[in-house]
Amino acid sequence: MQKRYSVVALLAVMLNGCSQSVTEYQNESPELQLNQFFQGTAKAWGVLHNWQGKQSVRFSAELCGEWQGGQGHLYELFYFSDGRVEQRHWQLEQHSDGRVSGTAGDVVGLAAGQLAGNALYWEYTLRIPYDDDTLDVTVKDWMYLVDNENLINRSTLHKFGLQVAELTLSIQQQNKNAGCAALKQKIQQEVPQSV
């Protein structure tokens, strides 16, 4: 019996030791600033894995951001390997102390997080289509700026406290000086119900 409790205690310590804090990346560079990286156009490629770690869907995306100071709009158009086309329009705020907040049409409530060094960690509740209905999942989202043009995004999706999926996404900045009118028009054409 004593041996069983020792194993449980060891596992608890190991699991607690696996958690990370965004402040651990405070001294990493280059520094991630959303109003710089998500300014202008970008492209993204990603893979979603189910709870068993199996690839469930792949996608590519076009992104474009527009910022006025610490407030911005990020437009995203997704093309999935199963034929779906979806969009998301983030309304973002980057505070001077590194806090980040945002809303989007399929996000329940407010997304909130913190920037530190080359990293961002934030959480939000995402409402996704599921069996002719919707399902709310908690997204724990990590972004790491690799260099000034490339960012890696790793997200885990949770329901009832259990991880149900994982997303790996690579984002590459294309043209920092581009406007978003062309992508907004493309979104209206590709996903007319979003207007």
Side-chain angles (χ1 to χ4, degrees):
M1 190 65 115
Q2 182 70 21
K3 192 173 187 178
R4 180 184 296 167
Y5 289 125
S6 298
V7 171
V8 170
L10 179 61
L11 285 173
V13 168
M14 289 171 60
L15 290 174
N16 286 335
C18 291
S19 64
Q20 60 181 326
S21 168
V22 72
T23 57
E24 294 176 37
Y25 304 106
Q26 187 65 48
N27 297 321
E28 295 292 330
S29 61
E31 184 180 12
L32 175 59
Q33 294 294 318
L34 300 187
N35 59 0
Q36 294 172 19
F37 184 80
F38 290 110
Q39 173 65 45
T41 57
K43 290 191 176 179
W45 302 267
V47 177
L48 183 69
H49 296 92
N50 67 17
W51 65 275
Q52 297 172 311
K54 295 180 181 175
Q55 171 185 261
S56 57
V57 70
R58 303 173 312 282
F59 64 90
S60 62
E62 297 178 53
L63 295 79
C64 191
E66 300 173 319
W67 290 81
Q68 292 258 341
Q71 298 193 341
H73 293 265
L74 180 62
Y75 303 93
E76 302 174 319
L77 182 60
F78 298 93
Y79 298 95
F80 291 91
S81 57
D82 61 8
R84 286 178 295 135
V85 179
E86 296 181 3
Q87 66 85 33
R88 181 171 297 121
H89 171 200
W90 282 104
Q91 296 175 50
L92 300 168
E93 187 166 3
Q94 179 176 300
H95 305 270
S96 58
D97 61 0
R99 287 180 301 115
V100 174
S101 57
T103 59
D106 55 355
V107 171
V108 179
L110 190 68
Q114 182 71 42
L115 288 160
N118 75 324
L120 166 68
Y121 175 74
W122 69 340
E123 287 188 25
Y124 51 93
T125 300
L126 186 65
R127 181 161 288 160
I128 58 174
Y130 183 77
D131 284 346
D132 298 323
D133 199 359
T134 59
L135 180 69
D136 291 354
V137 294
T138 300
V139 179
K140 297 181 179 183
D141 209 352
W142 282 95
M143 295 184 186
Y144 304 96
L145 189 61
V146 177
D147 57 39
N148 289 327
E149 289 81 36
N150 294 282
L151 181 144
I152 299 295
N153 185 185
R154 179 176 174 259
S155 302
T156 53
L157 285 66
H158 302 259
K159 187 68 181 173
F160 305 120
L162 300 173
Q163 183 175 317
V164 295
E166 183 172 345
L167 171 75
T168 305
L169 174 68
S170 171
I171 304 173
Q172 185 176 69
Q173 193 177 66
Q174 300 292 302
N175 184 351
K176 200 174 210 124
N177 300 312
C180 295
L183 182 57
K184 287 191 269 188
Q185 183 176 12
K186 193 171 185 179
I187 289 171
Q188 289 179 357
Q189 292 169 346
E190 299 268 354
V191 195
Q193 66 270 26
S194 67
V195 179

